[in-house]
Amino acid sequence: MLIAKKLTKIFNNGVVALDQVSLTVQKGEFVFLVGPSGAGKSTFLNLIIRQEVPTSGLIAVNRQNLAYLKKREIAYLRRNIGVIFQDYKLLPQKTVYENVAFALEVIETKARLIRPRVYAVLELVGLLNKANLLPSELSGGEQQRVCLARALVNRPLLLLADEPTGNLDPDTSWGIMELLLEVNRRGTTIVMATHNREIVDHMRRRVIALDRGKLVRDTPKGGYTLET
Amino acid sequence: MKPRTFFYFLREALRGLVRNRVMTLTALGIITIGLFLFGLFFLLTANLHHLTVLAWDEIEIRVFLEPTVKNPEKIGAELAALPGVKSVKYVSKAEGAASLEKMLGNQNLFLEGENPLPAAFNLSLLETADLQSLVRLASAVPGVEEVVFKQDFVRFLEIAIRLIMVFGLALLFLTAFAVLYIIINTIQLTVYARRREIEIMKLVGATDSFVRWPFLLEGIILGLLGAGLALLILKEGYAFLIQKIQFYRRFLPLLSGPELELILMAVLLGMGLFFGGLGSHVSLKRHLKV
Ligand SMILES: Nc1ncnc2c1ncn2[C@@H]1O[C@H](COP(=O)(O)OP(=O)(O)OP(=O)(O)O)[C@@H](O)[C@H]1O
Ligand SMILES: [Mg+2]
């Protein structure tokens, strides 16, 4: 599903965000990406959706080497990847329904398919009764779930979650995690960047740890740190 | 493009224009002013050019024939064939004397049979005539004695025409660039106001052209509306001006008529359309790099 080989990203200002990272993620896996702030987690996710371009090394998604993609192919790549952004990226002047439907409209989904799909995914994340509210009228956790709904509405093969439980209380966090697990059970590969020790330790999934851009640990069924 | 997709773009474009009302009106105002100025300079240049052409039409070159000439028609034909000559008119000895007498207001300037004026041809010129070489060629025609014209006036006109062409065109180009520049800048503001939307569209997999079309249509609509408004103002203003100076018309013959109106319309609408579209295109470039 996901292959990185000696993946390196050096920003224009000289910061080495990723340093020779090599890893493979199989289809259907649920992977935690951990590491201190500034370790390069978000950068790694940004490389996967080609929001950033690697300085050197290879990254391939679904057997496609991203280096060789044309602009149009990048758009098509992104249609297969759902992203929960660290900062939600919801449009403030659109309602919950419109924010989710937007993701289908702009990839030219047939109009008659949009409504049922949006309602189905809103039901999945438990926001059916808030469909007509604006993001500003929602709590943080609810906004997080709108973002999840938008990431899922196109039934992606791969879901990238960047701190989907950041700033959320434990109960809400577990709610989100249950949703992700359900999605994973339905076959979507998930890569989740997180600082949430409790969740990582409890779930016992594959853990990939980055530190200052280097891959320092890759354990199946691991914990947040080596000892746990 | 499917019609449904096009209508989606159109709806998005109109929505964008309505949603950012203040921005839209500001942009429209600026585009209108820019295109109005362009139209104004256009009319100014066209009229100055028109004036010099009218003056050029007044220029006459008089070609005096040798007194011994027996076949003036042949010489006339030769003169008419020279490059830059619009028409040729024969002035006989008697006619020449008559017009001279009329000019001087003296009925008996010459004694009977002693008319010293040679027969001549009056040449009127095409706009493109090269006077120097024409005079040279005309002098070389056998039977021609002398070629006479108002040298200073012609020099002056030649320079004036050239200056007006150069400065007029330069001014028009400059205004056009200025208009394009402000259009780009105003559209850039509307694009900037919606950069989040663009970013998200791209991140969920919209193609560049899908993102671009609504903005392109917005720019084109703005450009065309601005051109329409500018045309309206120019048309009314110009009609008013022409009516005001009706009295001086003989001295200041301004261009008018449906032909001028059509040209101005085509130029301004074309500019509005092209610049609006180009402005959007350029403004978007940076934001599509997500
Ligand atoms: N656009 C950028 N330009 C320059 N440097 C950047 C850019 N984005 C990130 N960085 C730098 O790259 C490094 C890795 O950043 P990244 O956002 O990937 O960290 P992270 O692991 O996601 O951290 P956090 O847990 O705080 O989200 C940081 O040092 C950051 O300052
Ligand atoms: Mg991050």
Side-chain angles (χ1 to χ4, degrees):
Chain A
M1 188 76 225
L2 185 65
I3 300 171
K5 280 198 184 128
K6 299 195 170 178
L7 191 61
T8 301
K9 174 69 188 180
I10 304 171
F11 284 107
N12 289 336
N13 57 6
V15 174
V16 182
L18 284 179
D19 191 1
Q20 308 255 3
V21 171
S22 298
L23 59 87
T24 304
V25 176
Q26 301 296 337
K27 195 168 185 310
E29 269 193 275
F30 192 127
V31 181
F32 286 115
L33 198 57
V34 302
S37 191
K41 304 182 294 296
S42 297
T43 305
F44 183 66
L45 299 183
N46 289 341
L47 286 170
I48 298 174
I49 53 171
R50 212 168 180 291
Q51 201 177 356
E52 300 282 359
V53 198
T55 310
S56 66
L58 172 146
I59 181 142
V61 177
N62 219 4
R63 299 213 186 85
Q64 276 186 301
N65 184 341
L66 302 198
Y68 301 136
L69 291 188
K70 299 189 187 76
K71 286 196 111 180
R72 183 164 281 273
E73 292 170 327
I74 296 170
Y76 293 142
L77 165 83
R78 288 173 178 166
R79 295 178 187 191
N80 288 319
I81 306 176
V83 187
I84 305 176
F85 297 98
Q86 206 165 358
D87 55 353
Y88 311 154
K89 292 198 197 293
L90 298 176
L91 291 168
Q93 74 278 29
K94 286 191 193 290
T95 65
V96 169
Y97 175 89
E98 287 167 343
N99 261 291
V100 178
F102 185 66
L104 290 177
E105 280 169 11
V106 303
I107 61 172
E108 295 167 76
T109 310
K110 286 199 178 71
R112 65 184 164 78
L113 294 181
I114 293 181
R115 185 168 287 270
R117 278 221 217 161
V118 174
Y119 279 122
V121 81
L122 284 179
E123 178 163 28
L124 179 71
V125 301
L127 282 178
L128 216 41
N129 56 337
K130 310 233 156 145
N132 294 319
L133 298 185
L134 294 174
S136 55
E137 298 165 321
L138 300 178
S139 73
E142 286 166 339
Q143 291 183 37
Q144 193 80 277
R145 280 188 276 158
V146 179
C147 193
L148 174 62
R150 188 184 57 195
L152 291 177
V153 73
N154 195 33
R155 298 170 191 168
L157 303 170
L158 176 62
L159 181 71
L160 307 178
D162 200 347
E163 315 239 4
T165 61
N167 313 322
L168 299 186
D169 66 77
D171 280 357
T172 320
S173 299
W174 282 113
I176 296 261
M177 286 318 295
E178 267 158 34
L179 279 172
L180 289 184
L181 277 175
E182 171 61 23
V183 169
N184 180 238
R185 243 175 263 130
R186 294 183 188 186
T188 299
T189 312
I190 298 185
V191 178
M192 169 170 159
T194 183
H195 286 300
N196 196 319
R197 172 187 294 269
E198 196 193 339
I199 285 177
V200 177
D201 285 346
H202 183 270
M203 299 251 302
R204 290 290 142 183
R205 297 286 176 138
R206 179 174 173 194
V207 175
I208 295 171
L210 293 175
D211 191 3
R212 275 161 284 172
K214 286 199 162 56
L215 193 151
V216 290
R217 185 161 57 95
D218 186 347
T219 22
K221 306 195 175 185
Y224 188 77
T225 46
L226 197 52
E227 304 82 56
T228 47
Chain B
M1 197 191 304
K2 282 174 272 176
R4 194 174 69 77
T5 316
F6 179 77
F7 284 120
Y8 175 85
F9 292 152
L10 196 61
R11 200 187 66 201
E12 281 300 306
L14 293 174
R15 254 191 210 168
L17 289 171
V18 173
R19 198 187 296 136
N20 307 306
R21 240 161 279 134
V22 180
M23 228 18 262
T24 302
L25 289 179
T26 314
L28 188 60
I30 292 175
I31 293 171
T32 304
I33 292 170
L35 288 176
F36 168 77
L37 282 178
F38 182 87
L40 202 65
F41 291 143
F42 182 86
L43 286 175
L44 193 72
T45 311
N47 272 301
L48 280 174
H49 182 71
H50 178 61
L51 282 181
T52 52
V53 168
L54 286 183
W56 189 257
D57 277 344
E58 303 281 302
I59 295 176
E60 266 190 358
I61 295 188
R62 187 162 281 205
V63 179
F64 290 107
L65 305 183
E66 286 167 0
T68 53
V69 163
K70 294 281 172 318
N71 50 351
E73 305 80 21
K74 195 173 150 269
I75 297 179
E78 269 185 66
L79 289 173
L82 293 177
V85 174
K86 186 147 86 182
S87 63
V88 170
K89 187 167 157 271
Y90 183 62
V91 186
S92 66
K93 281 169 83 87
E95 280 167 336
S99 78
L100 191 64
E101 279 173 359
K102 199 170 146 205
M103 229 161 79
L104 298 177
N106 187 337
Q107 286 302 314
N108 284 310
L109 193 61
F110 311 117
L111 294 173
E112 206 76 22
E114 282 185 55
N115 182 352
L117 280 176
F121 280 101
N122 278 348
L123 308 185
S124 61
L125 303 180
L126 289 174
E127 207 181 313
T128 52
D130 175 356
L131 213 64
Q132 305 285 336
S133 66
L134 180 59
V135 169
R136 204 165 346 100
L137 288 172
S139 311
V141 172
V144 168
E145 187 165 79
E146 199 185 359
V147 180
V148 176
F149 63 102
K150 289 185 203 147
Q151 201 148 0
D152 292 344
F153 179 62
V154 168
R155 284 268 153 70
F156 166 76
L157 257 190
E158 272 182 328
I159 293 172
I161 287 181
R162 211 158 288 160
L163 278 182
I164 288 169
M165 281 307 269
V166 170
F167 275 105
L169 284 181
L171 193 63
L172 284 182
F173 266 106
L174 277 179
T175 336
F177 272 110
V179 171
L180 180 60
Y181 182 77
I182 51 177
I183 287 182
I184 288 177
N185 271 283
T186 30
I187 294 179
Q188 212 144 40
L189 287 178
T190 68
V191 171
Y192 188 76
R194 289 165 65 188
R195 66 194 181 286
R196 271 183 74 82
E197 202 172 323
I198 296 173
E199 188 199 3
I200 295 172
M201 285 170 99
K202 292 236 42 198
L203 288 179
V204 299
T207 55
D208 280 3
S209 66
F210 190 90
V211 178
R212 192 176 279 131
W213 267 105
F215 284 98
L216 231 50
L217 288 178
E218 253 183 61
I220 288 172
I221 291 171
L222 273 178
L224 288 180
L225 277 179
L229 282 175
L231 271 174
L232 204 70
I233 300 171
L234 281 171
K235 201 179 151 201
E236 294 303 316
Y238 199 64
F240 180 75
L241 183 73
I242 285 195
Q243 190 214 328
K244 272 275 155 190
I245 63 163
Q246 192 82 312
F247 180 71
Y248 307 100
R249 204 151 181 158
R250 273 193 48 201
F251 313 106
L252 202 57
L254 287 183
L255 279 171
S256 63
E259 205 174 311
L260 180 72
E261 226 165 85
L262 270 179
I263 292 177
L264 193 65
M265 195 144 102
V267 168
L268 284 193
L269 286 178
M271 271 177 70
L273 182 108
F274 180 65
F275 283 8
L278 188 66
S280 295
H281 184 82
V282 173
S283 307
L284 263 180
K285 245 193 151 87
R286 187 150 32 105
H287 294 275
L288 284 178
K289 276 202 195 110
V290 179

